[in-house]
Amino acid sequence: MRHAACVDMPLPETSSVEAAIAVCQSCPVRLPCLSFALERDEPYGVWGGLTYADRKAERRRQRAAARPDEPSSHR
């Protein structure tokens, strides 16, 4: 993560989710960063351009996609 766009940024005095997401958009390691946060269920901050709520929804989507198709009830 040494190459992350946010690595040398000073911590803001106030939280700005929009500003953090904007930094992530051009980051060369955005996807590995997001993967790291998803794997560890990181509960704080913006990682890979997603907030905790966004990451939680993404984990739900990934779990649903990984489930085998349920048998159809059509006859």
Side-chain angles (χ1 to χ4, degrees), residues 15-23 46:
S15 175
S16 174
V17 172
E18 294 82 14
I21 290 171
V23 169
V46 173

Side-chain angles (χ1 to χ4, degrees), residues 17-31:
V17 172
E18 294 82 14
I21 290 171
V23 169
C24 294
Q25 297 311 307
S26 63
C27 183
V29 295
R30 184 178 68 81
L31 294 178

Side-chain angles (χ1 to χ4, degrees), residues 5 9 13 33 51 53 60 63-64 74:
M9 294 188 79
E13 289 185 27
C33 178
T51 64
R60 259 187 260 120
R63 282 193 303 268
H74 300 304

Side-chain angles (χ1 to χ4, degrees), residues 5-75:
C6 63
V7 75
D8 291 325
M9 294 188 79
L11 292 174
E13 289 185 27
T14 60
S15 175
S16 174
V17 172
E18 294 82 14
I21 290 171
V23 169
C24 294
Q25 297 311 307
S26 63
C27 183
V29 295
R30 184 178 68 81
L31 294 178
C33 178
L34 177 57
S35 179
F36 177 88
L38 289 170
E39 289 171 10
R40 287 157 182 80
D41 195 18
E42 180 60 48
Y44 303 105
V46 173
W47 290 76
L50 298 183
T51 64
Y52 176 68
D54 296 334
R55 292 189 305 274
K56 189 173 178 180
E58 178 60 24
R59 281 190 303 279
R60 259 187 260 120
R61 280 191 291 275
Q62 288 178 357
R63 282 193 303 268
R67 279 188 224 129
D69 291 334
E70 295 187 18
S72 175
S73 60
H74 300 304
R75 293 181 190 220

